[in-house]
Amino acid sequence: MKKAVIFDLDGTLIDSELFYLNLLLEFLKRKGMVLPFEKACKTVGAHNSPIWENVARAHGGSISGKTLRQEYKDEFERKFRDRELDYSQMQFADVLPVLEKLRADGVRMAIASSSSDKIIRRVVEQQNWERFFPVLVSGDNFRKSKPDPEIYRYTMKQLGTVPEETLVVEDSTYGIEAGKAAGVMVAARRDLRFGFHQEKADCLFDDMREILPKISDKYV
């Protein structure tokens, strides 16, 4: 039996990836910049991405990638501060039954996401998930982002578990690679929209209830 489950947030618990991509593409469009959708998809699941420098160079280098990224970050911060970003309707329908069951059975749970700490906490607040997740871990706290496994190793320490006792639930290429590099079994939500490479996951699911037998034989 697994003693703990660590959930990624975006694309795993909430269907937010396309929402974020559209924000990015709309921002660049207002700047007169074009980024093909398939290239934008490479930012999904990554805390840091070379995409900003690539876009800046592709448009003549009149602005640095660092400045471009900061302008987007400032705009995002404003939207967040003004509560224009609403996560309350993004929860996947299969999530709550799984969280309720795991909590009832005493399975420890955490969120480990590349999103900022304040975004993670805003989502947890809007979804009323406080009772499920005593441990919230942000990629902001680490020198390297996923696919580096540090975030998952740290989260296991917070939960008091080892890889053999833990299941990671992910969706993106980088997240899956991070979980596997941490030595953990990884279940991934199947997603064909963003060109993810999900073949390294131990199992794929379309409904999160499918992960329950991976946690305990009692769910078979």
Side-chain angles (χ1 to χ4, degrees):
M1 177 175 176
K2 303 295 184 185
K3 295 181 179 179
V5 180
I6 305 174
F7 293 91
D8 172 52
L9 179 61
D10 298 297
T12 302
L13 293 173
I14 59 172
D15 192 11
S16 55
E17 304 286 26
L18 188 59
F19 172 74
Y20 284 137
L21 276 181
N22 286 331
L23 285 180
L24 170 62
L25 294 173
E26 288 168 7
F27 166 78
L28 292 175
K29 184 178 180 180
R30 290 195 300 275
K31 302 288 290 185
M33 297 178 171
V34 176
L35 179 64
F37 182 80
E38 61 272 16
K39 291 187 178 180
C41 287
K42 294 181 180 180
T43 66
V44 177
H47 182 62
N48 295 305
S49 170
I51 201 70
W52 298 105
E53 292 296 342
N54 294 342
V55 170
R57 282 196 298 269
H59 290 82
S62 59
I63 185 173
S64 71
K66 182 178 181 181
T67 300
L68 188 64
R69 184 178 187 274
Q70 186 60 50
E71 288 185 8
Y72 175 72
K73 183 177 180 181
D74 290 344
E75 180 175 305
F76 187 93
E77 292 278 355
R78 181 193 61 75
K79 289 178 180 289
F80 184 87
R81 185 176 59 251
D82 295 344
R83 290 191 172 260
E84 294 179 27
L85 306 179
D86 183 8
Y87 300 95
S88 62
Q89 303 302 313
M90 294 187 188
Q91 181 181 154
F92 285 106
D94 56 359
V95 166
L96 192 57
V98 172
L99 299 184
E100 293 281 13
K101 185 173 289 292
L102 295 180
R103 179 174 181 265
D105 289 341
V107 177
R108 294 169 234 170
M109 290 182 282
I111 292 175
S113 169
S114 295
S115 290
S116 69
D117 182 70
K118 59 187 176 182
I119 289 176
I120 296 170
R121 294 184 183 279
R122 174 73 61 83
V123 173
V124 169
E125 170 197 332
Q126 290 187 345
Q127 300 289 355
N128 296 311
W129 285 344
E130 292 88 348
R131 65 193 184 280
F132 301 124
F133 297 113
V135 175
L136 304 173
V137 181
S138 165
D140 280 348
N141 300 321
F142 303 93
R143 185 173 58 87
K144 294 182 179 180
S145 184
K146 300 174 186 179
D148 188 270
E150 184 179 6
I151 188 171
Y152 281 126
R153 290 172 177 161
Y154 175 85
T155 305
M156 282 188 281
K157 288 182 181 178
Q158 299 306 300
L159 291 170
T161 60
V162 296
E164 295 77 16
E165 300 170 334
T166 309
L167 176 70
V168 160
V169 185
E170 267 285 357
D171 67 315
S172 72
T173 305
Y174 298 132
I176 293 167
E177 290 177 354
K180 294 307 297 178
V184 182
M185 176 184 286
V186 177
R189 184 183 290 280
R190 196 189 311 273
D191 198 322
L192 305 177
R193 295 174 292 177
F194 308 115
F196 291 153
H197 297 289
Q198 298 183 307
E199 61 276 1
K200 291 183 181 179
D202 293 282
C203 64
L204 298 175
F205 63 88
D206 297 298
D207 186 308
M208 191 173 282
R209 282 164 285 210
E210 296 171 38
I211 74 171
L212 292 173
K214 304 295 181 183
I215 299 167
S216 174
D217 291 342
K218 70 182 285 185
Y219 299 125
V220 176

